[in-house]
């Protein structure tokens, strides 16, 4: 049986918690699962039998987590965006992903593994696609004052008279 392979797959480097992180993420997002685990063999850089990679899906998107050691850490240079339809979704993902991590600014957070996420209501992209640059400017100014984004506050700014 032929299985389609995703053309581009994010490959996330963890010290030694890739399987734990994959299970954590899969517990948060619908349509998510662990697809497979590979282990280091004899003579590898880590003890034989320990987890090397974890293949997993989040909302149907494939990822691979690697237990590569402490050599590299996540930075904000790479983040994953969660597009949310409403405040209920924003609240859910914000609470789950920030648990044990760090709330940052402008809808950004770092989870307990150090991976950066942006939890963003879809009205933000709608505001920035407006021809009216004054609205986009007001929305950006409001976002800069927030950690978790508040849909009602953003809607108020979007609908304010110029």
């Amino acid at each position: 049986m032929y299985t389609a392979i995703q053309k581009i797959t994010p490959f996330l480097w963890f010290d030694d918690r890739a399987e734990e992180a994959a299970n954590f993420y899969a517990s948060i997002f619908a349509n998510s699962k662990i697809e497979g685990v590979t282990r280091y063999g004899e003579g590898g850089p880590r003890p034989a039998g320990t987890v090397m990679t974890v293949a997993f899906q989040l909302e149907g998107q494939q990822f691979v987590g690697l237990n590569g050691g402490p050599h590299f850490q996540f930075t904000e240079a790479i983040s994953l965006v969660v597009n949310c339809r409403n405040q209920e979704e924003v609240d859910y993902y914000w609470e789950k992903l920030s648990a044990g991590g760090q709330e940052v600014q402008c809808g950004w957070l770092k989870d307990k593994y150090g991976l950066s996420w942006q939890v963003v209501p879809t009205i933000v992209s709608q505001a920035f696609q407006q021809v009216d640059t004054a609205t986009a400017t007001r929305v950006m100014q409001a976002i800069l004052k927030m950690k978790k984004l508040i849909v009602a506050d953003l809607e108020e700014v979007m609908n304010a008279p110029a």
Side-chain angles (χ1 to χ4, degrees):
M1 180 171 136
Y2 174 77
T3 301
I5 295 176
Q6 184 171 289
K7 191 68 153 179
I8 299 171
T9 301
F11 204 90
L12 306 173
W13 183 298
F14 296 86
D15 180 1
D16 60 359
R17 297 171 69 189
E19 186 173 27
E20 177 186 322
N23 282 311
F24 174 69
Y25 302 142
S27 75
I28 294 171
F29 294 95
N31 190 27
S32 300
K33 64 183 176 181
I34 304 301
E35 296 184 311
V37 175
T38 62
R39 300 188 179 279
Y40 282 102
E42 295 295 330
R46 305 212 98 176
T50 59
V51 173
M52 180 171 64
T53 64
V54 180
F56 60 102
Q57 281 189 25
L58 302 179
E59 294 286 352
Q61 166 76 42
Q62 296 176 338
F63 293 83
V64 174
L66 167 72
N67 282 332
H71 315 296
F72 302 107
Q73 304 293 314
F74 292 119
T75 73
E76 293 81 358
I78 294 289
S79 63
L80 302 178
V81 176
V82 182
N83 293 301
C84 301
R85 293 176 303 212
N86 53 41
Q87 189 67 51
E88 182 179 0
E89 281 192 359
V90 170
D91 293 346
Y92 171 80
Y93 290 114
W94 188 266
E95 177 187 333
K96 297 292 185 183
L97 292 168
S98 67
Q102 175 187 8
E103 296 181 357
V104 185
Q105 185 179 347
C106 304
W108 288 59
L109 63 88
K110 278 191 177 187
D111 68 27
K112 61 185 171 182
Y113 305 101
L115 185 59
S116 291
W117 296 81
Q118 297 178 58
V119 180
V120 183
T122 54
I123 65 160
V124 170
S125 62
Q126 294 167 4
F128 292 145
Q129 292 172 6
Q130 299 277 328
V131 174
D132 174 14
T133 57
T135 298
T137 299
R138 287 193 313 272
V139 169
M140 178 54 76
Q141 289 171 345
I143 288 171
L144 289 170
K145 296 174 185 169
M146 298 180 194
K147 286 190 176 186
K148 177 175 76 172
L149 301 184
I150 306 301
V151 173
D153 293 353
L154 295 172
E155 287 173 338
E156 184 178 327
V157 169
M158 284 179 66
N159 296 325

